[in-house]
Amino acid sequence: MKILLTGFEPFDNSPVNPSEKIVYMLANESIPGVEISTAVLPVDLKLGPIALLNAVKVSEPEAVICLGQASRRAVISIERVAVNLLDFRIPDNAGKQVEDQPIEPNGPAAYFTTLPVRKIYSVLKENGVPSELSLSAGTYLCNQVMFTLLHYLKEQDLKIPAGFIHLPALPEQAAQMKGSVPSMSLEKMIQGIRLAIQVIAQE
Amino acid sequence: MKILLTGFEPFDNSPVNPSEKIVYMLANESIPGVEISTAVLPVDLKLGPIALLNAVKVSEPEAVICLGQASRRAVISIERVAVNLLDFRIPDNAGKQVEDQPIEPNGPAAYFTTLPVRKIYSVLKENGVPSELSLSAGTYLCNQVMFTLLHYLKEQDLKIPAGFIHLPALPEQAAQMKGSVPSMSLEKMIQGIRLAIQVIAQE
Amino acid sequence: MKILLTGFEPFDNSPVNPSEKIVYMLANESIPGVEISTAVLPVDLKLGPIALLNAVKVSEPEAVICLGQASRRAVISIERVAVNLLDFRIPDNAGKQVEDQPIEPNGPAAYFTTLPVRKIYSVLKENGVPSELSLSAGTYLCNQVMFTLLHYLKEQDLKIPAGFIHLPALPEQAAQMKGSVPSMSLEKMIQGIRLAIQVIAQE
Amino acid sequence: MKILLTGFEPFDNSPVNPSEKIVYMLANESIPGVEISTAVLPVDLKLGPIALLNAVKVSEPEAVICLGQASRRAVISIERVAVNLLDFRIPDNAGKQVEDQPIEPNGPAAYFTTLPVRKIYSVLKENGVPSELSLSAGTYLCNQVMFTLLHYLKEQDLKIPAGFIHLPALPEQAAQMKGSVPSMSLEKMIQGIRLAIQVIAQE
């Protein structure tokens, strides 16, 4: 099975982004029955979605998992819903900030993920990877990319599993943030994403 | 330098305790200039403090670090204060639960740690290990052991650095708990405690 | 302007529900330019939505605000999105619990509120009523009722402002719950909902 | 019974402080069997403790309750312990900030409150006032004033009940803060402090 795995470049003054690191690590790993292509997307209102759709067109995947960072979350957050809304709390890497704008003015209010999220959640739990099913991917780039992906697949009538998974901060990031910030090791995140890929490949 | 490092047995229905694991791992590690002796204490109102003081008497350490688990904390918690109070939210492993009792009826209200906690905190932070200085070790076994240790050293006029460090849940523990529970990898915890030992050895 | 205001009966072993109390209080209050009709809905997967749609049909409102309780939230939560998903963490008052079911099998993934939520949020803030814009109304009765309402209005082509507002626990409820639970006085909640009604009436 | 009730002036850029308001309100209230004297203390490392001790000397109370604000706490926090430590996260109102200093260089590590805190806690709970027993009053002015008070009473051998109670933000404060900040109405806080005074007067 051909799977496209995407991450994001660092943002919000951090020198790293766990989603980018995972993408690089899993690109070089062999998972039986899976062929992984990858892309690292810019944290940019305009260019992020373009880079994602370009990767989808080029790699012609049979499933897509997008990854991103959610700094204050304590566990791997498997997103259920992407909403048609842009409302940035901080500017993107190009300095652009928007409030209460639609992603697709003629699009629907939301899309549900088409990943087998309940199954992924239970497999992660069984394997000792802290995770949760999440009802909101926010209104920043992560949600935008998830919505854009699901909208594109719908428009193209491409019936492949696709969705988004949020990652906590890495320990080295959490150590630099104010207050008591939860984190997760890169190894544990990779284990979680590898398990998610295997679930998708087996379904 | 001879350092005594203690942990606790599992409690509260968990099959593991990160403090116990760290103690076993660091017992087999060689840190230049440091000789580590270890003890794993029972989570038992009566036997816990006895086991600790016994380990102190047997190993004659030049510094003592006690470790324990604080399941909902997100980072390594370096304790500043132990209070003369027992107030158990859950029973100990012997089924004993106490409310608003002193640890030492004739003892002072509290002891400050004698570990160089500000220095440990900044070294952990520099090395990417999420941590915090904490003002309360609770009123369960962890605080009891910390208080008992500092009281004993004071009574014996033993001027050695001693204190307590709380650890988050391990990922495999957090994955089984309800809700979104923060965790830390065993490797990151070991790195943090090894750094703490090095700071103490260098002071 | 005719406004329909709904609340819910008590649930989850609590003898009261702030949404029900607010409905009773505001039913007896005169707000210039506003005629309020009210309904208290059963916390019941089957009967809750029926009672709501019945109230809409009977009262023929020009705007609808549904209220409900979200016990661990600290502020008035103005919901932006209702999703087509039932996933009950606890049973309803009839003992029924469902997992991962759609509300409307042929309905869209979600609806956005049609209330002027940004304006309501800023008016509440200016008037000292703690509030937030929320991206998830959960997957229990509150979200179900919000989704059912917006779906019905869409199907009927009724272009009236409609949405959902979540309320914290009342102080007397929070005092009985485990841990440190945030709350809000009934007076402050009523002030907040009254302001929301005035915003809607003025738009 | 003569009770001294103290609060603090506003700080941290807020125009109000609930502890000050409560002091003014209860100063004008008649509670059977209780004679209340009051003081509002400056949020000032040097002047705060002086003002408190001066009020104690002038009013010759038979009990002392000090109040202060803890902005992110959700419930009334009845403090059990004051520690001999100054470690300011923000400067005081005179612009002074200190790190890791003792309050009394020759004082003990800590004092326990001498208020009947378990009884106060259960009476508040029974009366629907959200509250908790707290193990840390922080290391700012509130803890400083509590420690200074208990140290003075100990030195003077004055065996009167004395302690500290922390209050959440007022709704109008929480509405201006970033994020979802818990609050409590002034009326509910006054009810809680009045109940605490009655418990002390009855003991």
Side-chain angles (χ1 to χ4, degrees), chain D residues 129-170:
Chain D
V129 182
S131 67
E132 66 185 352
L133 292 175
S134 164
L135 290 163
S136 172
T139 52
Y140 195 56
L141 260 291
C142 292
N143 172 74
Q144 183 188 6
V145 150
M146 181 179 174
F147 185 90
T148 300
L149 171 65
L150 293 163
H151 187 65
Y152 172 82
L153 296 175
K154 174 76 178 176
E155 295 281 297
Q156 300 294 316
D157 202 27
L158 288 167
K159 294 189 171 59
I160 63 171
F164 198 95
I165 298 177
H166 261 123
L167 307 160
L170 290 165

Side-chain angles (χ1 to χ4, degrees), chain D residues 2-75:
Chain D
K2 288 167 68 181
I3 290 188
L4 172 62
L5 185 71
T6 76
F8 276 108
E9 290 178 353
F11 68 106
D12 199 14
N13 301 315
S14 181
V16 294
N17 188 319
S19 67
E20 182 183 43
K21 282 178 179 265
I22 291 171
V23 160
Y24 289 142
M25 297 294 279
L26 287 176
N28 293 311
E29 204 178 282
S30 111
I31 299 176
V34 178
E35 185 189 326
I36 296 180
S37 57
T38 62
V40 174
L41 313 176
V43 177
D44 182 309
L45 173 70
K46 295 293 173 213
L47 303 180
I50 291 171
L52 170 68
L53 295 187
N54 195 50
V56 172
K57 286 167 196 164
V58 167
S59 64
E60 297 184 340
E62 292 159 285
V64 186
I65 305 175
C66 298
L67 305 176
Q69 180 176 359
S71 292
R72 300 270 156 178
R73 300 203 192 175
V75 301

Side-chain angles (χ1 to χ4, degrees), chain A residues 86-128:
Chain A
L86 298 166
D87 189 36
F88 288 11
R89 193 183 49 80
I90 55 169
D92 70 8
N93 283 353
K96 186 101 186 195
Q97 190 163 3
V98 287
E99 185 185 275
D100 290 356
Q101 300 292 319
I103 296 169
E104 291 287 341
N106 300 314
Y111 286 103
F112 281 118
T113 183
T114 51
L115 297 178
V117 293
R118 178 70 62 181
K119 178 74 179 166
I120 293 172
Y121 171 62
S122 72
V123 168
L124 263 63
K125 199 177 153 80
E126 278 162 31
N127 284 275

Side-chain angles (χ1 to χ4, degrees), chain B residues 4-25:
Chain B
L4 171 62
L5 186 70
T6 75
F8 277 108
E9 289 178 354
F11 68 107
D12 198 15
N13 301 315
S14 181
V16 295
N17 187 320
S19 67
E20 182 183 41
K21 283 179 178 266
I22 292 172
V23 160
Y24 290 142
M25 298 294 280

Side-chain angles (χ1 to χ4, degrees), chain A residues 5-19:
Chain A
L5 186 70
T6 75
F8 277 109
E9 290 178 353
F11 68 107
D12 199 14
N13 301 313
S14 181
V16 294
N17 188 321
S19 67

Side-chain angles (χ1 to χ4, degrees), chain C residues 120 123-124 127 129 190-200:
Chain C
I120 294 172
V123 168
L124 263 62
N127 284 275
V129 181
I190 289 174
Q191 182 191 354
I193 301 310
R194 194 190 295 119
L195 286 166
I197 291 171
Q198 288 167 344
V199 168
I200 293 162

